[in-house]
Amino acid sequence: MAILTTKPTSDEEVGLLPSSVEEVEGGNSGRPLRIAATTVAAVLVVLLVGCSVALYTYDGNDSGLKDALRPKYPLNFLVVGDWGREGQFNQTMVATQMGRVGRHLGINFVVSVGDNFYQAGLTGPHDPKFKNSFTKVYTARSLQTQWFSVLGNHDYLGDTLVQIGDALTKQDSRWFCQRSFQLKHSLCAPSDKGHCAKFVEFFFIDTTPFVNDYWSAEQARDFDWRGLGPRQEYLDTQLENLNSALKSSVATWKIVVGHHTIRSLGRHGDTHEMIKHVLPILEKNNVDLYINGHDHCLEHIKREDSTVHFITSGAGSKSFQGLQEGKPEDGLQFGYDGQGFISVSMAAQALQIDFHDALGNNLHQLHLQR
C-alpha cells in the first residue's frame, strides 16, 4: 500500500503545489522542471520507505516518460476529474502532462468524471468558463480528441441542460456530455487474424441525484433538476437500465464511470447511497472497474469483500484536501493527495492503469489480466 500525502494546509492555501515548484509552469528550459521534479521525487521516496512504488520523472526531453509507459495497446485513454477552474490551482500543469502522456500513448479519447466547471457549473451556452476552463486549457494536440463527460454535483449547481445539449459541442467539437450513456470500443489488435469479437464496454451513470443531502429541505444550494422528472422514478429507471445493460453485455471488460465515489478515503469518503444502490449491481454483473472523481485525489482501492477495483481520478485542479490512511479492510492500494490524472491502456487480455502527477511523475501502476 502506498499513500502520498502532504501536511495540512489552510483553506486559503489548499489546492496549490508548493511555491518552490511554481516556476515549472512558465519556464523556458528543461532545467527548472528537472530540479523541481527531482526534488519532489526525492521527497516521495522518503515518504514511501517500505512501499513498492515506481517513480518516473520527466527530464525535459520526455525520456522518463518513454521509459515509464508501456507498449501501445489497441485502446489508450486518459481520465481526469474535478478540473474546471479556468486554469487555476495548477489545472494548466495537469493539462500539460496530459498532453505529453496522450501524445506518447496515442490516446483514443479522454474521460471526464464530472465537476467540469466550478464553482457552480455554467450559467448558459455563452458562459466564458467553458472556453477558459476547457478550450483554452487543454490545447495539446493529443487532447484534440473526443471527450466523454458526466455531470458532477458542482455542474448541477448551474445550467445542466447546456452541458448535455449540443450548444457547447458547436463551440468545441470535442465536447460530449450526457447524464448516462454507453460506449463500446474494440480491443482487437492489428495482429489479430480472422474474426475478433473482443471489446470493452463503458457504462456512464448520473450519480448526483442519488445523494440524499442534495435534496434535503435544509440544502442551501440550488440544484438544477430540470429534465429528471420525479426523483425516485428517475433513480429506479437508471438502476434498472444499468443492471439490464450490464447483465446482457458480453464485453471482455466492463467499466462503470460516475462522478461520486463508492469507496474512498479522501475528503468526502464513501458515498453511502452509491454503496446501497449501485455497488450490488456492479458486483453481481462482474464489473472490473468503477472510475470516479468527487474526491480531489488519486486512489486505487481493492477490498477483499468486493470484486470491483475502485479508481478515483478527481485531481484535475484544486487538491491537497486530505487523505486518510485507513484500516487494512479499507483496501487502499494507493493514494495520492495532490493533482494529477490517470492513463488507461487496454487489450483483450490485459489492462494497465498509470497514475500521473502534475510534474510528470508516474506514481503507481495497476495491472489486470484476463
Side-chain angles (χ1 to χ4, degrees):
M1 177 180 69
I3 305 174
L4 310 187
T5 60
T6 61
K7 65 180 181 179
T9 57
S10 67
D11 288 341
E12 290 76 16
E13 297 173 323
V14 73
L16 292 173
L17 285 169
S19 58
S20 61
V21 299
E22 286 299 322
E23 63 183 323
V24 173
E25 187 171 359
N28 292 324
S29 70
R31 189 170 181 272
L33 177 59
R34 289 197 297 272
I35 295 174
T38 303
T39 301
V40 171
V43 173
L44 296 178
V45 169
V46 173
L47 289 172
L48 293 170
V49 172
C51 301
S52 177
V53 174
L55 295 178
Y56 300 88
T57 305
Y58 289 126
D59 64 358
N61 62 9
D62 291 350
S63 63
L65 181 61
K66 293 176 182 177
D67 293 338
L69 296 179
R70 54 277 183 196
K72 184 175 177 64
Y73 283 34
L75 174 63
N76 299 274
F77 62 94
L78 307 181
V79 182
V80 65
D82 304 79
W83 44 266
R85 297 184 185 272
E86 302 187 86
Q88 299 180 13
F89 294 98
N90 304 315
Q91 183 191 356
T92 53
M93 293 181 69
V94 175
T96 296
Q97 303 306 332
M98 289 174 62
R100 292 183 178 184
V101 173
R103 174 164 54 88
H104 282 272
L105 291 180
I107 58 170
N108 300 86
F109 53 81
V110 178
V111 171
S112 170
V113 288
D115 278 1
N116 307 312
F117 304 100
Y118 286 96
Q119 284 286 339
L122 298 176
T123 59
H126 303 296
D127 190 328
K129 283 190 293 184
F130 177 68
K131 289 186 177 180
N132 292 339
S133 293
F134 181 61
T135 302
K136 294 181 179 180
V137 173
Y138 301 103
T139 57
R141 181 176 299 179
S142 66
L143 304 182
Q144 307 308 303
T145 186
Q146 190 70 64
W147 284 56
F148 295 106
S149 306
V150 294
L151 296 169
N153 51 294
H154 282 272
D155 299 312
Y156 264 99
L157 295 174
D159 186 339
T160 59
L161 299 183
V162 74
Q163 284 203 49
I164 64 177
D166 62 357
L168 300 182
T169 305
K170 292 178 180 178
Q171 298 179 43
D172 192 319
S173 60
R174 295 177 291 173
W175 186 257
F176 179 88
C177 182
Q178 294 292 320
R179 298 188 196 274
S180 58
F181 59 98
Q182 292 173 227
L183 172 68
K184 292 182 180 180
H185 200 287
S186 173
L187 296 178
C188 298
S191 58
D192 290 328
K193 297 180 180 179
H195 178 68
C196 173
K198 303 296 184 181
F199 66 95
V200 56
E201 193 160 14
F202 299 84
F203 305 82
F204 294 79
I205 61 174
D206 186 19
T207 64
T208 301
F210 282 95
V211 181
N212 293 330
D213 182 60
Y214 302 150
W215 297 83
S216 170
E218 289 75 36
Q219 176 60 247
R221 298 172 296 178
D222 292 325
F223 288 82
D224 182 11
W225 303 122
R226 291 176 300 159
L228 289 188
R231 181 196 180 197
Q232 195 57 53
E233 181 179 327
Y234 176 75
L235 295 181
D236 289 344
T237 299
Q238 186 174 189
L239 291 171
E240 290 171 7
N241 290 342
L242 177 63
N243 182 60
S244 176
L246 286 170
K247 184 177 181 180
S248 62
S249 174
V250 293
T252 308
W253 300 90
K254 299 178 185 179
I255 299 176
V256 176
V257 179
H259 175 66
H260 286 78
T261 61
I262 292 182
R263 298 296 186 186
S264 172
L265 292 173
R267 180 181 182 182
H268 295 103
D270 294 352
T271 304
H272 299 293
E273 296 89 341
M274 295 289 290
I275 293 174
K276 179 180 179 180
H277 299 292
V278 177
L279 180 56
I281 294 176
L282 306 191
E283 293 176 334
K284 180 175 64 175
N285 291 288
N286 301 313
V287 168
D288 299 288
L289 304 176
Y290 175 71
I291 302 178
N292 61 272
H294 197 48
D295 268 334
H296 297 184
C297 58
L298 301 175
E299 292 179 285
H300 168 212
I301 290 177
K302 175 61 177 69
R303 295 165 55 114
E304 291 186 0
D305 62 357
S306 179
T307 57
V308 182
H309 289 262
F310 302 98
I311 307 296
T312 296
S313 182
S317 59
K318 189 175 184 179
S319 197
F320 302 105
Q321 296 187 326
L323 191 63
Q324 306 171 53
E325 185 171 348
K327 303 178 288 295
E329 56 265 33
D330 292 321
L332 182 65
Q333 308 300 310
F334 168 79
Y336 174 56
D337 182 23
Q339 285 116 345
F341 62 99
I342 69 170
S343 60
V344 184
S345 291
M346 302 189 69
Q349 283 100 23
L351 179 154
Q352 180 168 319
I353 300 178
D354 280 71
F355 294 71
H356 309 268
D357 72 8
L359 291 175
N361 297 306
N362 187 327
L363 304 174
H364 175 70
Q365 291 182 339
L366 166 63
H367 299 266
L368 297 178
Q369 299 289 329
R370 271 285 176 267

